[in-house]
Structure formats: structure tokens, C-alpha cells
Amino acid sequence: ELVDDVEDGVVVLEELVELVDEVEDGVVVLEELVEEVEDGVVVLDELVELLEELVELVDDVEDGVVVLEELVDEVEDGVVVLEELVELVDLEELVELVDEVEDGVELVDDVEGAS
């Protein structure tokens, strides 16, 4: 009976050794998982930084759009002013005025030539 008990004890010890091996393997797997999680955290940190840079870029683009809108408004204002100027200037009157100035220049030339 004692030999049987010792043999049973040896079997139990062998099973305990196997359990210890399995626990050690589990610890190795857990350590690898922790490393992968840490790597994932690093990747997430980099993604967060990229997203922050994207937000800054979007802000810059929005600022640029505002500047462009202001420029368009100023150009539209300039066009309105030019249209008002064109309405003010009567081209026929301007041509007549140029003709009168040319006639005046001819008169001056004639007067200078006669003297």
C-alpha cells in the first residue's frame, strides 16, 4: 500500500509539474499580450497626434476660406464701383470732349503759325 501511495504521489507531483509548466506558458502569453497592448497604445497615441494635426489643418483651411470670402467681397465691391464709374462716364460726351480738345489744339497751332 505504501508503494501505491508513493506512486500516486509521484503521479500527483508530475501533474503539478505539468500545471506549473502550463502556468509559466500562460505567463509568457500574458507578457506577449501586454507588449502588444503597449504597442497598440503607442499607435493610438500617434493616431491622436495625427488627428490633432488634421484639426489644425481644417482650422487653417477654414481661416483661408474666410480670407477668400473677404477677398471676393472686396472684388465684388470693386466691380460695383467700376460699373458706377462706367455709368457716370458717357462715352459719346467723352468723344465729343476729345474732339473739342483736338480742335482747340489746332486753333492754338494756327494762332502760333500766324504769329
Side-chain angles (χ1 to χ4, degrees):
E1 286 182 22
L2 195 59
V3 168
D4 286 342
D5 288 345
V6 168
E7 287 176 348
D8 292 344
V10 168
V11 169
V12 169
L13 284 174
E14 288 173 347
E15 290 174 356
L16 273 175
V17 168
E18 288 176 11
L19 270 175
V20 167
D21 286 345
E22 289 176 9
V23 168
E24 288 174 346
D25 292 344
V27 168
V28 169
V29 169
L30 283 174
E31 288 173 346
E32 291 172 357
L33 272 174
V34 167
E35 287 177 9
E36 288 179 10
V37 168
E38 289 173 345
D39 292 345
V41 168
V42 168
V43 169
L44 285 175
D45 285 344
E46 292 172 357
L47 271 175
V48 167
E49 288 176 15
L50 280 175
L51 284 174
E52 289 171 349
E53 290 175 8
L54 264 177
V55 168
E56 290 176 8
L57 272 176
V58 168
D59 287 345
D60 289 346
V61 168
E62 288 175 346
D63 293 344
V65 167
V66 169
V67 169
L68 283 174
E69 288 173 346
E70 292 172 357
L71 274 174
V72 167
D73 287 345
E74 290 178 10
V75 167
E76 288 174 346
D77 292 345
V79 167
V80 169
V81 169
L82 285 174
E83 288 173 346
E84 291 173 355
L85 276 173
V86 167
E87 288 174 9
L88 284 176
V89 174
D90 184 355
L91 289 179
E92 288 179 11
E93 287 181 14
L94 195 60
V95 168
E96 289 175 9
L97 191 63
V98 168
D99 287 343
E100 289 175 10
V101 168
E102 287 175 346
D103 292 343
V105 168
E106 287 176 10
L107 277 175
V108 168
D109 287 344
D110 290 344
V111 168
E112 286 178 351
S115 60

